[in-house]
Amino acid sequence: MSQPVPMITKDGRFAYEAAGDPGAIPLIFLHGIGGAARAWRRQLATFGGRFRAIAWDMPGYGGSTPLTSVSIAALAEALQQFIEQLGVSRPVLVGHSIGGMIVQKWLVQSPKLARAVVLAQTSPAFGKADGDWQKTFIAARLGPLDRGETMKSLAPSLVRELVGDDPDPNGMEVARECMGSVPEASYRAMMLALIGFDQRSTLGNISVPTLLLSGSKDNNAPAPMMAKTATFIPGAEYVALAGVGHLANLERPDAFDEALGRFLNSLATKA
């Protein structure tokens, strides 16, 4: 089994981990607001035998340089620059949570550059800045930091609120470690970048094979919302993982990898 290797792009801007043959089909994983490249190590090991499996540290995370101004559009541009730095073509992109939002925005500017995409536990819209739900969501996550908590002190409770039934203990340890290591400035910037995000009008323009993957116990990206989103994307597949919260690849890595593997196998039969 190929082991993930920490790396950095030639321009020094992006840290990432990778496994597998550099000449194989690129499979790029994008983590969420509380994640990191290392949150995907299980998947890099699982899929590194068939793909060039790659997980980036989002700008401002790990060894990746922060953006001067953070927005989903700026993160999508950073993703394009990351792909160019890697020198890969036609990647399969797997975006979790905000990573899936970045993929959606990237597809608008690069509709034909992906081989396929997986939108994992994400949403096509966060909504208006003055919405009650949006205000409550942001306040619940930034309020404790305003009151003097740290990402490390908050990590256990933040992770606990995100997961579903019987999560994998090893995965939860990784989730807490990743969450606790997120720089506070990056966490704040990414949370605020969600405000106003709305790609619902562009879903019908997605023209590459797409899998939407949800967890039945996910309160951040509810399964019914994701199922509805799938109906707006031509030919999209939808899979719900029973009992899973918002961190599927860490909570139930076997179920996540099986669902992703089936989708990747289906691409091979269509090629």
Side-chain angles (χ1 to χ4, degrees):
M1 184 179 291
S2 182
Q3 293 300 310
V5 178
M7 305 182 80
I8 194 158
T9 52
K10 293 187 292 291
D11 64 359
R13 287 184 58 202
F14 302 104
Y16 65 102
E17 298 190 4
D21 182 350
I25 293 171
L27 175 62
I28 301 176
F29 295 90
L30 294 88
H31 63 81
I33 287 178
R38 64 183 179 275
W40 297 107
R41 283 177 180 169
R42 168 69 177 267
Q43 283 68 45
L44 298 194
T46 298
F47 295 102
R50 292 175 49 204
F51 297 87
R52 177 56 168 174
I54 300 160
W56 82 337
D57 273 318
M58 193 160 49
Y61 287 66
S64 292
T65 304
L67 298 174
T68 54
S69 180
V70 179
S71 66
I72 302 296
L75 290 162
E77 178 59 33
L79 172 61
Q80 177 60 29
Q81 293 164 1
F82 176 62
I83 291 170
E84 291 171 358
Q85 282 289 309
L86 294 176
V88 301
S89 61
R90 299 198 66 220
V92 178
L93 297 175
V94 181
H96 169 250
S97 198
I98 198 174
M101 294 177 173
I102 295 168
V103 169
Q104 291 174 68
K105 179 65 77 172
W106 178 84
L107 282 171
V108 174
Q109 63 194 41
S110 308
K112 301 291 187 182
L113 294 188
R115 187 179 304 265
V117 299
V118 179
L119 303 178
Q121 304 182 286
T122 189
S123 170
F126 184 75
K128 53 190 179 181
D130 59 352
D132 290 340
W133 184 88
Q134 288 80 7
K135 287 180 179 178
T136 300
F137 182 93
I138 296 295
R141 284 148 184 82
L142 299 187
L145 293 173
D146 295 337
R147 295 188 291 272
E149 294 274 9
T150 66
M151 290 304 299
K152 186 173 183 179
S153 68
L154 287 172
S157 61
L158 288 174
V159 169
R160 191 163 54 246
E161 291 168 5
L162 290 172
V163 301
D165 302 333
D166 301 318
D168 177 77
N170 292 329
M172 292 306 88
E173 184 176 346
V174 173
R176 289 187 292 270
E177 180 190 63
C178 289
M179 183 74 78
S181 300
V182 177
E184 181 179 328
S186 297
Y187 186 80
R188 287 179 177 274
M190 296 300 167
M191 280 291 174
L192 296 175
L194 297 174
I195 297 173
F197 173 77
D198 192 341
Q199 292 301 135
R200 287 175 291 188
S201 65
T202 64
L203 293 174
N205 298 328
I206 295 177
S207 58
V208 298
T210 302
L211 169 66
L212 284 89
L213 188 59
S214 75
S216 70
K217 295 292 185 73
D218 187 349
N219 294 321
N220 283 4
M225 177 276 295
M226 290 206 68
K228 182 177 180 181
T229 299
T231 67
F232 292 100
I233 301 175
E237 299 179 39
Y238 170 72
V239 173
L241 301 178
V244 175
H246 192 59
L247 305 177
N249 68 299
L250 294 172
E251 293 180 58
R252 303 279 184 87
D254 289 341
F256 182 92
D257 291 357
E258 182 181 356
L260 176 56
R262 283 198 305 268
F263 177 67
L264 295 173
N265 289 338
S266 76
L267 297 178
T269 62
K270 294 172 185 174

